[in-house]
Amino acid sequence: MRFHPVQYIHAARGQEHKVTMVTMQVLLLTVVLILPSVENLSFRNPEYSVTVDKLLGKWYITRWAGNPPIPAKKKFSPLPPFIFVKNILGKLEFRMNISKPMGCVVLKMNMEQERENSGIFYIWPNHRINIAFIGGMDFAIAYHQSNINNQLLKMTMLMGKNMTPRPTVILDFEDFVEFVQLKRTDIINPGFDDSCELFGET
């Protein structure tokens, strides 16, 4: 099983765009999710492949860990839920509402499903997303790894249909965190930000 969540701050020519820490954190956690094959790690719970129909609905970020450049006090910020829906073209779409000073801003990302593998999706040309359920259809583990400016950035999250994963699911996530050489002690339970109503929930 393997993974990738995440996008970063981007700069425009001649001028840097400032991105709020919450937006950066959300992107790092959710935009690019790659779930690679992990051959040497045995989970307590069985893994299940993902299809679009099984993925639809609201999800919460119940745990996460990583090494992106986020200030320590911001790492514990509550995170909004996100949803997967089918858009007008029948494609999978990621949606999340982010609270910003000017109000609630909706973030949308189309996800193209790979023909040969129903559990693999793509955001933009080169960002592959592979999502796998763990212990049923209510929780999944996601992981992102990329080299940005000669720095290896890693991010993993436990996403759930609710905020209370079973203890064995949490233990499996902790094992995975250590497997990808992140620290178990750095796992964060971010809590839930309900300041913005989620669009497209129905």
Side-chain angles (χ1 to χ4, degrees):
M1 170 177 109
R2 210 187 297 232
F3 312 73
H4 277 192
V6 193
Q7 273 308 324
Y8 311 97
I9 304 175
H10 35 277
R13 292 180 180 175
Q15 179 181 10
E16 289 189 353
H17 291 288
K18 293 183 179 179
V19 181
T20 66
M21 293 313 302
V22 171
T23 301
M24 176 184 173
Q25 192 173 13
V26 166
L27 292 176
L28 283 168
L29 288 169
T30 58
V31 174
V32 185
L33 311 175
I34 291 190
L35 200 57
S37 156
V38 178
E39 298 177 355
N40 299 321
L41 183 61
S42 296
F43 289 112
R44 298 163 183 81
N45 294 279
E47 300 169 48
Y48 301 93
S49 60
V50 169
T51 64
V52 169
D53 289 339
K54 293 177 182 177
L55 202 57
L56 298 178
K58 182 188 288 188
W59 291 87
Y60 300 88
I61 300 169
T62 68
R63 302 287 191 283
W64 73 269
N67 64 348
I70 299 175
K73 65 179 182 179
K74 291 292 185 180
K75 288 185 177 181
F76 296 91
S77 298
L79 296 173
F82 60 92
I83 62 173
F84 288 117
V85 300
K86 283 185 179 179
N87 61 23
I88 194 171
L89 300 176
K91 305 289 186 179
L92 185 67
E93 184 175 277
F94 164 91
R95 295 181 186 176
M96 174 183 276
N97 273 5
I98 303 170
S99 178
K100 303 185 78 171
M102 72 285 294
C104 297
V105 178
V106 62
L107 173 67
K108 294 183 180 182
M109 296 287 174
N110 290 327
M111 301 172 64
E112 187 72 25
Q113 189 176 28
E114 188 176 88
R115 292 182 180 180
E116 293 76 17
N117 190 325
S118 63
I120 295 177
F121 303 87
Y122 291 88
I123 295 177
W124 304 305
N126 300 318
H127 298 298
R128 191 180 73 162
I129 300 171
N130 185 338
I131 306 173
F133 292 120
I134 183 167
M137 304 298 165
D138 291 335
F139 292 92
I141 297 176
Y143 170 78
H144 174 71
Q145 176 177 303
S146 61
N147 197 314
I148 305 295
N149 295 327
N150 296 320
Q151 180 182 1
L152 184 62
L153 294 179
K154 301 177 182 180
M155 179 70 70
T156 182
M157 74 171 179
L158 177 63
M159 51 189 261
K161 292 283 191 174
N162 60 68
M163 294 290 292
T164 55
R166 297 189 306 276
T168 55
V169 172
I170 295 175
L171 288 172
D172 283 339
F173 179 67
E174 291 175 348
D175 289 346
F176 182 79
V177 166
E178 291 189 335
F179 183 85
V180 297
Q181 299 182 337
L182 293 171
K183 296 180 180 179
R184 185 185 294 242
T185 54
D186 289 341
I187 295 174
I188 292 170
N189 182 350
F192 171 47
D193 177 9
D194 60 354
S195 59
C196 287
E197 182 180 354
L198 196 63
F199 297 135
E201 194 171 339
T202 57

